[in-house]
Amino acid sequence: MRAVALGGGHGLHATLRALRRLTTDVTAVVTVADDGGSSGRLRRELGSLPPGDLRQALSALAIAETGESLWAEVFQHRFGGNGALAGHAVGNLLLAGLFEVMGDPVAALDEARRLLGVSGRVLPMSPEPLEIEAEVSGLDDDGSLRRIRGQVAVASTPGRVERITLRTPQRPGGEPSACEEAVRAVLDAEVVFLGPGSWFTSVLPHLLVPALHDALLRTTATKIVVLNLVPQPGETAGFSPERHLDVLFQHAPALRADVVIADRDSVPAPVCLREAAGRLGATALLADVADPDREGVHDPDALASCVREALGLRETEGRKG
């Protein structure tokens, strides 16, 4: 099964660990708009892609495939102290170095996965670093919308994010370009996943890269949306599960999905979620996918089992059609 997962950060980490229980043919397509922490520092100093979410995806595949190996542990290790390296993850520095030496982020990521012994692939959604710009309400007493820029600012805003767009800082006014290999992976996939993850900063940006958006419309793959277990503080605080789907539809009105996976205990109004899923052309599948020992984290085994059920459900509907 050729599986492609779109996202970033810890949400994509959960999806990848679940998918590696089902197939070795996994491709992660990762957002490249991070501007905080170690990634933000390397992005500003070197002008390269922010490596943090790419590192997380490689680590997830490595752990799922080889367990807690030495290289996987080193890749995630962060330097302490108070010097110039404080806070940097080893994997971030290694990727930044590979980007500079090889001059091609895709080739660099392929080399990193060989180092880690990973059979799956990690690709950036764009070959250039992007910037998120959001329209936010609730910051001014007059009810007007304010524009804020940057992933960290959007993720931590006390206001309500209404809509996002993508900017190309290295090409002011340009259209966000897509990684050609990522577009090809989506078109060739048998199943494509959106979510879980920070909705406005990790999931929705993929829909705003025109060539990637077009590939998501054209692909014949089964499209599965995996919802978060809890709203993200800041950007989706107070959002219901169905509100997440409505926002997805607002950003990509032509997109259709096949299945929406949600944790049973995270859905207070199943009827409303099923109606929202129906507006995307999808069936809502409610199951117990939360890790009982870690709040707000998907259990990889449970999520993998739910994906099997989702794919079986889709095949059954296909035969009925």
Side-chain angles (χ1 to χ4, degrees):
M1 179 178 68
R2 295 184 302 278
V4 174
L6 288 74
H10 296 293
L12 181 59
H13 194 280
T15 304
L16 294 176
R17 292 188 66 187
L19 284 179
R20 277 298 282 113
R21 286 155 167 79
L22 304 175
T23 178
T24 59
D25 194 343
V26 178
T27 298
V29 178
V30 184
T31 183
V32 287
D34 193 3
D35 61 355
S38 170
S39 287
R41 289 161 62 190
L42 291 170
R43 172 179 175 163
R44 289 188 294 273
E45 292 172 14
L46 304 176
S48 65
L49 291 179
D53 285 338
L54 297 162
R55 184 199 83 248
Q56 286 272 34
L58 285 166
S59 172
L61 291 173
I63 292 172
E65 188 160 337
T66 63
E68 296 285 351
S69 67
L70 176 60
W71 268 115
E73 181 180 354
V74 170
F75 211 66
Q76 289 287 70
H77 176 73
R78 286 189 186 274
F79 291 105
N82 300 308
L85 291 178
H88 278 305
V90 172
N92 286 359
L93 297 174
L94 178 61
L95 287 176
L98 283 170
F99 292 160
E100 284 204 348
V101 170
M102 304 190 75
D104 177 357
V106 172
L109 288 162
D110 283 341
E111 189 63 35
R113 73 184 177 95
R114 281 190 284 271
L115 173 66
L116 292 169
V118 170
S119 57
R121 202 175 190 199
V122 174
L123 298 170
M125 72 175 185
S126 172
E128 61 182 332
L130 301 176
E131 182 179 58
I132 296 173
E133 181 175 273
E135 295 180 354
V136 180
S137 62
L139 296 177
D140 299 306
D141 293 337
D142 61 4
S144 61
L145 295 177
R146 188 188 300 181
R147 291 182 181 271
I148 60 175
R149 293 181 185 174
Q151 179 168 320
V152 172
V154 174
S156 59
T157 180
R160 180 186 178 99
V161 180
E162 302 292 344
R163 175 174 288 276
I164 63 166
T165 55
L166 290 180
R167 296 168 53 86
T168 54
Q170 296 179 346
R171 297 183 297 110
E175 183 178 85
S177 58
C179 170
E180 293 180 4
E181 290 84 353
V183 170
R184 192 176 307 119
V186 170
L187 292 174
D188 292 342
E190 293 174 284
V191 57
V192 174
F193 292 82
L194 272 170
S198 300
W199 216 241
F200 286 102
T201 54
S202 293
V203 179
L204 295 182
H206 293 80
L207 305 177
L208 304 181
V209 178
L212 197 53
H213 173 271
D214 182 60
L216 286 167
L217 298 186
R218 292 166 51 203
T219 185
T220 59
T222 298
K223 291 188 280 289
I224 298 177
V225 177
V226 184
L227 291 179
N228 293 332
L229 300 174
V230 294
Q232 299 293 112
E235 60 182 83
T236 57
F239 274 33
S240 64
E242 53 270 20
R243 173 64 178 157
H244 284 75
L245 295 183
D246 288 341
V247 167
L248 189 152
F249 181 79
Q250 291 168 11
H251 283 78
L255 181 67
R256 292 295 176 266
D258 297 294
V259 180
V260 173
I261 293 177
D263 180 66
R264 199 186 317 274
D265 292 337
S266 301
V267 181
V271 171
C272 294
L273 178 62
R274 291 190 175 96
E275 290 176 351
R279 290 192 285 274
L280 286 172
T283 301
L285 178 57
L286 276 61
D288 298 318
V289 293
D291 188 326
D293 300 320
R294 294 187 296 169
E295 184 178 356
V297 176
H298 286 79
D299 178 83
D301 290 320
L303 185 56
S305 178
C306 193
V307 169
R308 287 193 191 94
E309 184 179 350
L311 293 174
L313 176 65
R314 179 60 181 161
E315 289 172 3
T316 300
E317 290 182 347
R319 286 195 293 271
K320 286 180 181 178

